[in-house]
Amino acid sequence: MKKSVSSVFALALVLSFYQTALANTNPNEAEELRLLKERIAKLEAKINANEKATNKVSADLKKKDASDWKINGDMRVRAVNDANSWDGSSSFRFRLRLEKQVNEYIRVYTRWNVIDENTMGETGSKDQNNKIHEAFMDIKLANNNYARLGRFGHSFGATQFWGSAGSVGMFDGVQYMGRFNKLRAELAYGTWAAAGSTSTNANTKSIGTMNNTVITKLRYTPQKNTDFYLWWVKEVNHTTPGARLALDSFYDIRGIGVKTPVAKNLNFALDVGRNYAPGSTGIAGAKPFAYWAQFTYKEADYDIAHSWEARAYYRRVQNGYMYNGANTAQNVGQNKFFGPGVSVHYVPVKNLMAEFLFSFANKDATNTSLSLPNYVRFQLSTRF
């Protein structure tokens, strides 16, 4: 469009230089020149009008995009065997997400677990989990920093073996998210509610919630594809009546992690942490710890048909290290588990992923002389 307007102006300028000379030599040519200039003026006006109309349409489209709701979701069907002989079960999950960019500064988001890990053949087997697991608003602050308010999730470290950002959510509170060059920081305060009903252990300690909790997370990226992580999850005090055992809190979890490439298409990730809270297991001075080391080869991408990846991991997670109700991003039994595992992920067609996972030679992470069952899982998941 700009090129056309420039061409019209250039032609008008050239014609103006020759107007007098042509008029003096030939009256007919002078009249033709006058008519030509009128046509050019009309063309210029039409071009300007079209340009204004185009800009208006573009602005209207941007406004429409900003005001539209975005709806998407996913569904997963899985079969699990968590014993040495096949006595497993199958389940399915269906989730919906709703998102809206209200304006330049505010975005709202919600995720509803319509059906959450319902066991096949047992209608309503886990209806207490069918709820809105995330519902929050993001408010844009200065310098692309954000504040988040509502119900949302968290994940931690390079492997994210403990966290609920992609599975349960259920952290009710407020959070600040900032980026400073190569450093990303998050600071949150709130309560982590269990996905289902609150329960207690043999010591009457509540394990259904993580109350009055401060979460600090840092991520440093010194170079492309290399990240260092630091996190601190501190339950200031546990306020459930009759559930504290006179102990200060159940969670004071501190951890570090790293993720980096080690060869072409091969990445390594490691997370290490410990729970320093006096009430973490009901035994003073227990301080349960955890580590998870993982190699990942290639990457399975929902958007790329025939993409695939393979993982091999080794973990040890002592009982009491983490909050059970938070679920896991890895989504495999690991609380109190000690041992290796492998998995393969394949995308046969776009938006469909098949996954196979095998955790074997498992032992109790605290009492290593005690063997635990193997864990075998196959699942299909799709998104829309």
Side-chain angles (χ1 to χ4, degrees):
M1 183 65 69
K2 291 183 178 179
K3 185 175 180 181
S4 300
V5 174
S6 300
S7 300
V8 171
F9 277 123
L11 180 58
L13 183 62
V14 171
L15 290 173
S16 67
F17 282 124
Y18 291 97
Q19 179 181 8
T20 303
L22 290 173
N24 291 334
T25 57
N26 192 326
N28 292 332
E29 291 182 0
E31 178 62 18
E32 291 177 2
L33 179 60
R34 186 185 66 79
L35 295 175
L36 178 59
K37 289 183 65 177
E38 289 181 359
R39 288 197 294 269
I40 292 174
K42 292 179 181 179
L43 178 60
E44 179 186 348
K46 185 179 293 187
I47 290 174
N48 289 334
N50 289 340
E51 188 172 28
K52 289 180 180 179
T54 301
N55 292 337
K56 185 178 184 303
V57 170
S58 179
D60 290 343
L61 288 175
K62 289 181 179 179
K63 184 178 180 180
K64 183 177 183 297
D65 289 341
S67 64
D68 280 352
W69 285 94
K70 296 180 181 179
I71 302 175
N72 59 66
D74 62 77
M75 183 172 181
R76 183 182 69 198
V77 180
R78 65 165 39 162
V80 174
N81 170 32
D82 55 3
N84 289 313
S85 59
W86 181 262
D87 60 354
S89 61
S90 56
S91 64
F92 63 99
R93 181 184 71 185
F94 184 82
R95 303 187 298 187
L96 288 175
R97 302 177 188 87
L98 196 61
E99 179 181 354
K100 180 180 178 67
Q101 189 71 38
V102 179
N103 54 39
E104 183 181 353
Y105 300 98
I106 299 175
R107 165 182 170 261
V108 294
Y109 173 92
T110 183
R111 185 184 69 193
W112 177 29
N113 284 30
V114 183
I115 299 176
D116 189 20
E117 301 297 347
N118 195 83
T119 303
M120 294 286 194
E122 297 181 17
T123 303
S125 62
K126 293 186 178 180
D127 280 349
Q128 74 272 20
N129 295 343
N130 302 340
K131 61 181 68 175
I132 295 177
H133 282 207
E134 288 188 307
F136 60 82
M137 71 168 68
D138 284 340
I139 302 175
K140 184 178 180 180
L141 308 175
N143 300 319
N144 287 322
N145 295 327
Y146 292 85
R148 177 168 291 178
L149 300 89
R151 170 169 290 183
F152 45 92
H154 283 281
S155 57
F156 303 90
T159 65
Q160 300 185 0
F161 74 88
W162 172 46
S164 71
S167 50
V168 177
M170 302 300 290
F171 184 88
D172 295 348
V174 59
Q175 176 173 267
Y176 163 78
M177 299 170 287
R179 184 167 185 171
F180 311 92
N181 196 8
K182 297 181 179 181
L183 179 67
R184 296 185 182 184
E186 296 181 16
L187 178 64
Y189 176 80
T191 293
W192 216 328
S197 59
T198 299
S199 59
T200 58
N201 67 8
N203 296 318
T204 71
K205 180 184 70 175
S206 170
I207 59 175
T209 59
M210 183 187 288
N211 294 327
N212 304 311
T213 301
V214 177
I215 297 178
T216 304
K217 297 189 290 183
L218 299 175
R219 175 182 171 184
Y220 177 63
T221 307
Q223 61 187 32
K224 185 178 180 180
N225 298 325
T226 297
D227 296 294
F228 292 93
Y229 300 84
L230 179 70
W231 64 93
W232 183 15
V233 181
K234 171 63 176 175
E235 185 183 44
V236 180
N237 68 307
H238 198 103
T239 58
T240 303
R244 291 183 57 196
L245 295 176
L247 297 171
D248 176 49
S249 68
F250 302 145
Y251 304 100
D252 183 2
I253 305 166
R254 309 168 202 176
I256 57 174
V258 62
K259 180 174 65 177
T260 186
V262 294
K264 183 178 180 180
N265 294 323
L266 181 64
N267 293 285
F268 173 73
L270 172 67
D271 288 322
V272 181
R274 184 180 289 274
N275 188 353
Y276 291 88
S280 57
T281 63
I283 303 174
K287 297 181 180 179
F289 71 89
Y291 65 80
W292 188 297
Q294 179 172 294
F295 285 95
T296 303
Y297 182 67
K298 291 195 171 183
E299 179 182 5
D301 189 332
Y302 275 102
D303 290 325
I304 304 176
H306 306 301
S307 62
W308 65 278
E309 74 179 64
R311 303 176 189 170
Y313 64 83
Y314 197 84
R315 88 294 202 198
R316 183 174 184 179
V317 185
Q318 290 187 324
N319 191 35
Y321 165 75
M322 64 183 193
Y323 165 49
N324 287 337
N327 207 324
T328 63
Q330 289 282 3
N331 210 1
V332 56
Q334 79 275 12
N335 193 22
K336 79 179 184 179
F337 274 74
F338 175 30
V342 294
S343 65
V344 178
H345 313 253
Y346 176 64
V347 181
V349 294
K350 185 177 179 180
N351 291 328
L352 177 67
M353 185 178 296
E355 304 176 61
F356 174 79
L357 184 144
F358 181 38
S359 174
F360 56 95
N362 293 311
K363 295 183 179 299
D364 188 287
T366 302
N367 180 10
T368 56
S369 63
L370 177 63
S371 295
L372 296 177
N374 295 337
Y375 179 91
V376 182
R377 183 179 78 207
F378 175 78
Q379 67 183 39
L380 285 173
S381 55
T382 185
R383 65 179 190 178
F384 54 88

